[in-house]
């Protein structure tokens, strides 16, 4: 049976794959198994050598990486070695490593991983290189890399085989290096402001804190259904009740919704809460945080995203939702007094696709939000705070003192996309319970993203939560803007995808 499986496996291999396996067997028989346990002491990386050439010229260095090209010029060869920081040229000759070693090196393949010792020099053409004195095969690549000039360009293949994408596309490595810098910068920024980072549950008995569909799983031990978290809000507010005052959680959220260039079911988000603050505090924090990340990742608050220059420098533009709809849609909601008038307007402007429930159940606030999404949202290119949202779509938010139909809430938009959502947190347990009960009615009317009632959260508010400002920022979207990434899948190492077998069957 095993022999039959081996035969079928070998029949599916390409000629290059078979040749590489034959080379591997030859190495093993010669006692040179490249997969044996071997530690290679790297003293330098490619970028470090190039940036410090004057100090390192004629000095011995030890590097390791993947062979990306091999140019044989007879008694010597030039190899491009790629490590985590980029590429550096190797000069290998029989005089440098010995004739026997040089003959063996010439049998190695593009994609093999090697360790190199040699001294740093500059070629006649002025290229900083390493004159190799010792070279070891550390790992044999059994599959050839994509052809040099065409590279790896199929988006589906790139996302599915990200490891290969990183090998072939140096820009991908740079994107994820910047992602790490941005996430580190967020923590630095908040830590300097005495925020405490905490971890809230991934699994919960209630999916609440956001308007979203959850993923459902089952606990065998408890024999109950559990939900993957859609937001961390209600747990973080419990921390404020407990006295932490400034707290945040940065991690994965999960929403069982569509997949497109802006949405992935598993995504990274930060939520932060500050006692004795409000949504205006959050505005300042948001613009300062994003500007700080931009400078740390790119060296400037100005970045080019998809051909458009964006400037994250504070202060950002501020506009109310009503004024945005008036400016971009030509509709003045201050003249609309009743829900009936708003519904007539919705019919006139064909807002049905932007409503989460049937039109006959919609309020003026629902329709204002729909008009904003249709007319204004896509127009907000430079970083902009849209303020004062209707109460009926903001169930966890304090009302404005001078207008109870509106709340102290803003969303930050960049390039027509929501980046952040923040508000002065509702801390009245009686009103909060009423809001949850209204959300239950909304669910009955067809809004399956309405908030679920969390009775323990109500109990925490009854203990007493100080006036608090809170905010959530989509980390992946921020990284997209700061790395000029077209799709969210370009900034998530392993985005959610159908298994390859299902994808092939579909096609």
């Amino acid at each position: 049976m095993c022999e039959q499986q081996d035969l079928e496996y070998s029949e599916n291999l390409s000629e290059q794959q078979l040749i590489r396996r034959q080379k591997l067997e030859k190495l093993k028989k010669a006692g040179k198994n490249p997969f044996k346990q071997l530690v290679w002491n790297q003293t330098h990386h490619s970028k470090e050598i190039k940036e410090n050439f004057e100090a390192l010229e004629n000095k011995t260095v030890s590097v390791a990486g993947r062979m990306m090209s091999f140019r044989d010029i007879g008694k010597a060869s030039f190899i491009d070695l790629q490590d985590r920081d980029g590429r550096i040229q190797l000069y290998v000759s029989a005089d440098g490593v010995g004739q026997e070693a040089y003959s063996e090196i010439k049998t190695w393949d593009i994609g093999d991983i090697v360790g190199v010792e040699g001294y740093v020099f500059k070629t006649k053409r002025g290229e900083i290189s390493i004159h190799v004195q010792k070279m070891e095969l550390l790992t044999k690549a059994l599959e050839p890399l994509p052809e040099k000039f065409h590279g790896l360009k199929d988006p589906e293949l790139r996302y599915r085989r990200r490891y290969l994408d990183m090998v072939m596309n140096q820009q991908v490595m740079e994107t994820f290096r910047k992602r790490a810098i941005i996430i580190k910068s967020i923590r630095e920024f908040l830590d300097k402001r005495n925020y405490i980072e905490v971890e809230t549950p991934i699994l919960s008995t209630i999916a609440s804190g956001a308007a979203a569909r959850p993923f459902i799983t089952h606990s065998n031990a408890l024999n109950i259904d559990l939900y993957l978290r859609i937001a961390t809000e209600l747990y973080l507010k419990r921390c404020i009740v407990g006295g932490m005052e400034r707290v945040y959680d940065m991690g994965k959220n999960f929403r069982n919704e569509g997949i497109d260039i802006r949405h992935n079911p598993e995504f990274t988000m930060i939520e932060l809460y500050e006692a004795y603050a409000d949504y205006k505090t959050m505005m300042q924090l948001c613009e300062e945080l994003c500007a700080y990340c931009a400078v740390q990742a790119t060296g400037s608050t100005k970045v080019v995203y998809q051909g458009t220059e964006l400037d994250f420098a504070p202060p950002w533009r501020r506009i109310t939702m009503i004024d945005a709809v008036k400016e971009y849609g030509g509709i003045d909601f201050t003249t609309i007094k009743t829900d009936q008038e708003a519904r007539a307007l919705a019919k006139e402007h064909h807002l049905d696709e932007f409503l989460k429930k049937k039109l006959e159940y919609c309020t003026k606030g629902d329709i204002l939000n729909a008009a904003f999404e249709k007319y204004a949202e896509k127009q907000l290119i430079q970083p902009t705070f849209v303020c004062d949202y209707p109460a009926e779509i903001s169930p966890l938010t304090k009302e404005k003192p001078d207008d109870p139909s509106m709340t102290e809430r803003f969303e930050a938009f960049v390039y027509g996309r929501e980046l952040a959502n923040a508000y002065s947190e509702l801390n009245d347990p009686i009103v909060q319970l009423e809001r949850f009960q209204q959300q239950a009615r909304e669910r009955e009317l067809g809004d399956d993203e309405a908030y679920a009632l969390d009775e323990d959260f109500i109990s925490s508010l009854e203990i007493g939560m100080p006036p608090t400002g809170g905010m959530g920022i989509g980390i992946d979207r921020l990284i997209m803007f700061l790395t000029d990434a077209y799709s969210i899948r370009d900034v998530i190492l392993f985005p959610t995808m159908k298994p390859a077998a299902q994808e092939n069957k579909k096609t």
Side-chain angles (χ1 to χ4, degrees):
M1 185 65 176
C2 289
E3 291 180 1
Q4 177 68 24
Q5 289 177 338
D6 291 343
L7 179 61
E8 292 175 357
Y9 178 71
S10 63
E11 288 177 348
N12 291 326
L13 296 176
S14 68
E15 180 181 359
Q16 272 295 315
Q17 288 173 319
L18 286 171
I19 290 172
R20 288 177 181 233
R21 280 161 175 75
Q22 290 167 1
K23 289 183 178 180
L24 174 62
E25 287 304 312
K26 187 175 180 180
L27 286 167
K28 287 181 177 179
K29 288 178 180 178
K32 300 178 180 180
N33 184 354
F35 297 111
K36 68 184 178 181
Q37 184 67 29
L38 181 64
V39 174
W40 189 266
N41 180 33
Q42 292 173 275
T43 62
H44 296 80
H45 286 83
S46 57
K47 183 179 179 181
E48 181 185 4
I49 294 171
K50 291 179 178 180
E51 290 180 347
N52 297 278
F53 171 73
E54 291 183 1
L56 292 173
E57 186 176 12
N58 295 321
K59 300 286 180 62
T60 299
V61 296
S62 176
V63 298
R66 191 181 298 272
M67 296 199 310
M68 299 300 293
S69 71
F70 198 115
R71 302 181 298 282
D72 186 358
I73 56 173
K75 294 184 179 180
S77 298
F78 288 102
I79 297 172
D80 280 335
L81 182 83
Q82 180 171 296
D83 61 19
R84 70 178 188 194
D85 293 338
R87 295 187 183 185
I88 192 165
Q89 180 173 267
L90 309 178
Y91 174 77
V92 192
S93 66
D95 291 340
V97 297
Q99 184 60 55
E100 182 179 349
Y102 181 60
S103 298
E104 182 176 321
I105 289 169
K106 291 175 70 173
T107 69
W108 298 349
D109 294 301
I110 304 301
D112 288 351
I113 296 173
V114 299
V116 175
E117 285 185 5
Y119 61 86
V120 179
F121 78 108
K122 189 176 289 187
T123 65
K124 293 180 180 179
R125 293 185 177 182
E127 183 167 355
I128 297 170
S129 307
I130 299 174
H131 192 295
V132 179
Q133 296 170 306
K134 177 183 178 183
M135 195 163 175
E136 294 279 351
L137 180 61
L138 306 181
T139 301
K140 182 70 185 170
L142 299 182
E143 180 177 336
L145 298 177
E147 195 268 333
K148 176 182 176 181
F149 295 103
H150 295 95
L152 185 67
K153 296 181 179 178
D154 177 15
E156 291 297 312
L157 185 59
R158 287 181 55 211
Y159 301 139
R160 201 176 296 283
R161 304 184 71 186
R162 180 67 85 186
Y163 47 90
L164 191 56
D165 189 24
M166 290 190 287
V167 170
M168 299 305 299
N169 299 313
Q170 281 295 291
Q171 183 57 44
V172 173
M173 286 289 286
E174 182 61 21
T175 292
F176 288 104
R177 187 177 291 111
K178 283 186 177 179
R179 181 186 178 102
I181 291 170
I182 292 164
I183 289 175
K184 179 182 178 183
S185 299
I186 291 170
R187 288 193 164 99
E188 288 175 350
F189 181 90
L190 293 174
D191 291 349
K192 289 176 183 176
R193 286 158 176 77
N194 296 317
Y195 274 78
I196 299 174
E197 182 175 9
V198 299
E199 294 176 314
T200 59
I202 299 291
L203 295 173
S204 178
T205 55
I206 298 172
S208 196
R213 297 184 186 94
F215 285 94
I216 305 173
T217 186
H218 186 79
S219 168
N220 293 330
L222 299 175
N223 194 27
I224 58 171
D225 284 343
L226 294 172
Y227 302 93
L228 272 67
R229 73 181 181 197
I230 57 175
T232 59
E233 178 166 348
L234 302 190
Y235 284 106
L236 291 172
K237 287 181 180 177
R238 287 173 171 91
C239 293
I240 295 294
V241 171
M244 282 189 169
E245 293 194 2
R246 297 186 181 190
V247 63
Y248 74 94
D249 186 345
M250 181 160 50
K252 295 291 187 182
N253 284 355
F254 308 85
R255 297 182 183 177
N256 196 358
E257 298 169 348
I259 298 177
D260 58 32
I261 62 169
R262 291 182 289 174
H263 298 90
N264 191 71
E266 177 182 356
F267 61 98
T268 303
M269 187 171 181
I270 185 170
E271 289 199 42
L272 56 93
Y273 293 84
E274 181 174 334
Y276 314 108
D278 64 2
Y279 78 135
K280 292 180 180 178
T281 313
M282 293 298 108
M283 279 189 204
Q284 183 176 350
L285 192 71
C286 180
E287 60 192 4
E288 290 179 357
L289 171 59
C290 292
Y292 180 77
C293 289
V295 171
Q296 295 302 306
T298 72
S300 172
T301 60
K302 294 180 179 180
V303 301
V304 175
Y305 182 72
Q306 302 298 294
T308 299
E309 185 177 82
L310 305 173
D311 191 353
F312 285 92
W316 296 2
R317 182 192 182 198
R318 288 153 169 77
I319 188 171
T320 67
M321 179 179 277
I322 286 178
D323 287 344
V325 171
K326 184 177 180 180
E327 179 176 338
Y328 297 110
I331 305 170
D332 186 357
F333 266 81
T334 62
T335 66
I336 298 171
K337 305 303 180 185
T338 66
D339 292 340
Q340 288 75 15
E341 290 175 6
R343 290 168 192 155
L345 184 144
K347 288 182 179 179
E348 178 186 348
H349 289 266
H350 308 289
L351 298 177
D352 305 59
E353 63 180 292
F354 297 94
L355 298 171
K356 294 183 178 180
K357 55 191 175 186
K358 293 181 179 179
L359 180 59
E360 58 263 34
Y361 301 129
C362 288
T363 65
K364 174 183 172 182
D366 295 320
I367 294 163
L368 169 60
N369 184 60
F372 170 77
E373 290 183 2
K374 180 174 182 177
Y375 294 114
E377 191 170 299
K378 61 188 175 184
Q379 304 291 340
L380 305 174
I381 303 303
Q382 293 302 320
T384 302
F385 292 124
V386 177
C387 314
D388 303 352
Y389 277 56
E392 49 265 66
I393 64 168
S394 310
L396 299 170
T397 314
K398 276 190 175 181
E399 298 172 350
K400 290 183 70 66
D402 57 347
D403 184 359
S405 69
M406 293 292 177
T407 60
E408 293 191 339
R409 175 184 174 188
F410 75 79
E411 287 184 319
F413 287 88
V414 180
Y415 202 75
R417 302 171 184 177
E418 179 195 345
L419 175 63
N421 183 23
Y423 28 90
S424 301
E425 305 296 334
L426 178 58
N427 60 346
D428 183 333
I430 297 173
V431 175
Q432 185 63 83
L433 179 58
E434 293 172 353
R435 297 273 188 90
F436 277 141
Q437 290 169 341
Q438 176 59 35
Q439 286 290 298
R441 290 190 287 271
E442 298 288 327
R443 188 176 290 273
E444 292 174 0
L445 295 175
D447 183 358
D448 57 2
E449 294 184 0
Y451 287 57
L453 170 61
D454 187 333
E455 293 181 354
D456 182 71
F457 174 64
I458 297 295
S459 296
S460 73
L461 293 184
E462 290 174 344
I463 296 296
M465 185 176 81
T468 298
M471 176 168 57
I473 299 176
I475 300 300
D476 302 307
R477 289 189 184 177
L478 177 61
I479 294 168
M480 286 174 67
F481 293 132
L482 300 185
T483 60
D484 194 21
Y486 172 72
S487 170
I488 192 172
R489 296 198 290 182
D490 294 326
V491 299
I492 296 176
L493 267 173
F494 304 104
T496 306
M497 302 183 72
K498 279 187 177 180
Q502 290 187 22
E503 192 68 28
N504 294 336
K505 185 181 293 185
K506 183 180 73 172
T507 56

